[in-house]
């Protein structure tokens, strides 16, 4: 039985491990901290293919420069000398055209369309977790704020997705935590959400029940190519060397550190998101999206998770309380019946963003060393489908059309 080491115990890494087991591989997962310790735990848990779209779009040319001067803006970055960050931003902004958006959307659509089915496959295969059906509630303070969101939905539909949507007569009907300031709302069907923490734990348990081992103290310092007749290996910070027949690097925003020497030259920048949970006077039942304020909210273990911010910093930098405060300041204006002063689960996670908005999935220039990551904000929703198709590639050598555009050597 071939042995595979998967580096990274997030949604992408664990999904890949599960699918490799489906194909008969012996799998061990290494992570330096634990299951979902990166960007998988504290995100909004959205399984929303209709919103799994390119991050860079023409509106950035209007919003971006203004946001950098606004301490409460959802887009944030430090003003400091950081050549790598400025190079990433230059390439990211170069994609902020309608033509580039359409090209990237065309490449994302095939995997978007199978994303929910891939979650069904995990659950039918024994993962003891559930996905929750929509609808999503999309709210705006006034009609003019909805133009960008409606344009994005139209773009997803134009590229072949289904996104059933209708206007709500009463925004508070499905989302009582929205204040009277929210005067325009839509219900978006066909999407789902998960509670990320419990779901990830269930996926990890499923991998272990089928004989996999998850090692959560494994700080991988280096990945070594196969030497002559030998096998590739991971080298831990402790100096320990562990060989395997195949290795998958699924380390999210930290991918470049291990993968660059194997020809993966695309920049992977941490786009950090923040979240916290609050109690609500009335139970939260549906996901809520406030596009104008870039806030994504989801029911989470009896509370309401509020997430937001795209902060371009280094992935290991500490949580900056000012970013939490920025989300709170906006929430106070447009929410009611939520206790924003009793926040729990305050979190920051580093999402792996590529300049062209496409993941990095496939074989590197080293035999039997693969990568899976760079999904930006969409690692949770696309993780299971990514794992399915990468396992197929590793088993058969066949590149499925859904991941062909994500060639990590592009």
């Amino acid at each position: 039985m071939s042995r595979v080491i998967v580096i990274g115990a997030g949604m992408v890494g664990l999904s890949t491990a599960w699918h490799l087991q489906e194909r008969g591989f012996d799998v061990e997962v290494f992570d330096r901290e634990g299951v979902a310790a990166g960007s998988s735990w504290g995100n909004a848990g959205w399984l929303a293919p209709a919103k799994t779209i390119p991050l860079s779009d023409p509106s950035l040319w209007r919003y971006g420069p203004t946001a950098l001067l606004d301490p409460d803006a959802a887009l944030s970055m430090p003003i400091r000398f950081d050549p790598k960050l400025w190079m990433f931003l230059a390439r990211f902004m170069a994609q902020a055209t309608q033509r580039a958006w359409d090209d990237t959307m065309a490449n994302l659509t095939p995997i978007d369309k199978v994303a929910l089915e891939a979650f069904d496959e995990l659950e039918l295969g024994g993962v003891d977790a559930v996905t929750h059906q929509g609808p999503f509630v999309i709210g705006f303070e006034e009609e003019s704020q909805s133009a960008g969101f409606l344009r994005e939905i139209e773009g997803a539909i134009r590229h072949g997705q289904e996104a059933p949507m209708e206007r709500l007569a009463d925004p508070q009907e499905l989302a009582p935590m929205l204040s009277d300031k929210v005067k325009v709302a839509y219900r978006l069907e066909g999407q789902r959400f998960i509670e990320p923490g419990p779901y990830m734990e269930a996926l990890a348990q499923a991998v272990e029940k089928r004989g996999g081992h998850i090692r959560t103290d494994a700080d991988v310092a280096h990945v070594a190519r196969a030497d002559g007749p030998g096998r590739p290996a991971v080298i831990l910070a402790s100096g320990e060397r562990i060989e395997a027949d195949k290795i998958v690097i699924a380390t999210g925003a930290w991918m470049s550190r291990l993968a660059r020497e194997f020809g993966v030259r695309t920049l992977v920048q941490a786009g950090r998101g923040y979240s916290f949970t609050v109690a609500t006077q009335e139970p939260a039942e549906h996901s809520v999206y406030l596009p104008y304020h870039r806030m994504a909210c989801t029911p989470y273990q009896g509370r309401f998770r509020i997430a937001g911010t795209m902060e371009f910093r280094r992935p290991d930098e500490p949580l900056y309380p000012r970013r939490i405060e920025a989300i709170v300041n906006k929430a106070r204006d447009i929410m009611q019946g939520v206790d924003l002063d009793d926040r729990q689960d305050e979190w920051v996670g580093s999402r792996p963003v590529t300049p062209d908005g496409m993941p990095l999935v496939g074989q590197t220039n080293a035999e039997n060393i693969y990568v899976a990551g760079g999904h930006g904000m969409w690692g949770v929703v696309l993780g299971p489908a990514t794992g399915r198709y990468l396992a197929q590639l590793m088993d058969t050598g066949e590149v499925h059309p859904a991941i062909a555009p994500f060639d990590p050597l592009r």
Side-chain angles (χ1 to χ4, degrees), residues 309-376:
T309 298
M310 176 61 75
E311 180 189 53
F312 290 130
R313 287 184 181 268
R314 300 184 185 100
D316 287 313
E317 291 192 43
L319 179 150
Y320 284 84
R322 185 68 185 86
R323 304 311 308 155
I324 296 285
E325 293 170 11
I327 300 172
V328 170
N329 289 342
K330 293 184 184 301
R332 288 194 193 281
D333 282 342
I334 53 179
M335 291 188 183
Q336 63 183 3
V338 298
D339 190 350
L340 292 165
D341 295 318
D342 181 24
R343 299 184 298 276
Q344 297 179 16
D345 309 311
E346 290 191 350
W347 172 89
V348 62
S350 294
R351 300 165 298 199
V353 182
T354 60
D356 62 8
M358 292 193 296
L360 301 162
V361 183
Q363 186 172 0
T364 69
N365 67 12
E367 186 177 5
N368 293 333
I369 297 177
Y370 302 80
V371 298
H375 294 79

Side-chain angles (χ1 to χ4, degrees), residues 5 7 20 38 91 101 148 150 157 159 164 202-203 206 249 271 286 305 342 357 375 407:
I5 292 175
I7 310 170
L20 286 167
R91 296 178 182 178
W101 192 96
L150 296 176
I157 294 171
H159 282 277
L203 180 54
I249 301 171
H286 305 290
R305 172 168 281 171
D342 181 24
H375 294 79
D407 181 357

Side-chain angles (χ1 to χ4, degrees), residues 137-141 145 171 178 182 184-186 288-293:
V137 179
I138 320 298
F140 307 91
E141 293 161 273
Q145 293 179 355
L178 294 179
V182 178
V184 178
Y186 296 85
V288 175
Y289 183 35
L290 300 158
Y292 188 77
H293 300 290

Side-chain angles (χ1 to χ4, degrees), residues 120-352:
D120 294 337
E121 182 180 10
L122 290 181
E123 291 156 34
L124 290 170
V127 177
D128 187 15
V130 296
T131 60
H132 302 277
Q133 299 288 338
F136 281 26
V137 179
I138 320 298
F140 307 91
E141 293 161 273
E142 56 188 58
E143 194 76 49
S144 62
Q145 293 179 355
S146 68
F149 170 78
L150 296 176
R151 184 176 61 251
E152 291 171 351
I153 292 295
E154 185 279 327
I157 294 171
R158 176 162 39 86
H159 282 277
Q161 291 202 50
E162 295 182 2
M165 192 167 66
E166 64 179 28
R167 182 83 171 254
L168 286 171
D170 178 7
Q172 286 77 35
E173 175 187 354
L174 298 178
M177 67 288 300
L178 294 179
S179 76
D180 291 339
K181 287 189 175 181
V182 178
K183 296 181 173 59
V184 178
Y186 296 85
R187 61 181 293 161
L188 174 64
E189 302 284 0
Q191 321 302 307
R192 308 184 199 173
F193 69 90
I194 61 172
E195 296 184 344
Y199 198 102
M200 296 297 301
E201 291 292 343
L203 180 54
Q205 290 168 11
V207 169
E208 291 183 314
K209 285 180 181 178
R210 301 200 299 180
H213 179 224
I214 299 176
R215 183 171 172 180
T216 57
D217 62 346
D219 185 1
V220 177
H222 180 63
V223 176
R225 297 172 185 265
D227 184 12
R231 300 187 297 172
V234 299
I235 315 298
L236 302 186
S238 64
E240 182 182 0
R241 176 187 176 95
I242 307 102
E243 293 187 353
D245 296 293
K246 299 177 187 289
I247 294 172
V248 179
I249 301 171
T251 51
W254 295 266
M255 176 184 286
S256 296
R257 182 171 65 87
L258 297 178
R260 186 171 178 79
E261 69 175 278
F262 305 114
V264 182
R265 303 297 184 183
T266 298
L267 291 172
V268 179
Q269 170 64 42
R272 300 177 358 138
Y274 286 74
S275 72
F276 52 86
T277 65
V278 295
T280 59
Q281 288 181 359
E282 296 188 46
E285 297 180 359
H286 305 290
S287 289
V288 175
Y289 183 35
L290 300 158
Y292 188 77
H293 300 290
R294 291 168 169 80
M295 293 168 56
C297 312
T298 310
Y300 186 79
Q301 297 190 303
R303 292 171 66 84
F304 193 52
R305 172 168 281 171
I306 302 176
T309 298
M310 176 61 75
E311 180 189 53
F312 290 130
R313 287 184 181 268
R314 300 184 185 100
D316 287 313
E317 291 192 43
L319 179 150
Y320 284 84
R322 185 68 185 86
R323 304 311 308 155
I324 296 285
E325 293 170 11
I327 300 172
V328 170
N329 289 342
K330 293 184 184 301
R332 288 194 193 281
D333 282 342
I334 53 179
M335 291 188 183
Q336 63 183 3
V338 298
D339 190 350
L340 292 165
D341 295 318
D342 181 24
R343 299 184 298 276
Q344 297 179 16
D345 309 311
E346 290 191 350
W347 172 89
V348 62
S350 294
R351 300 165 298 199

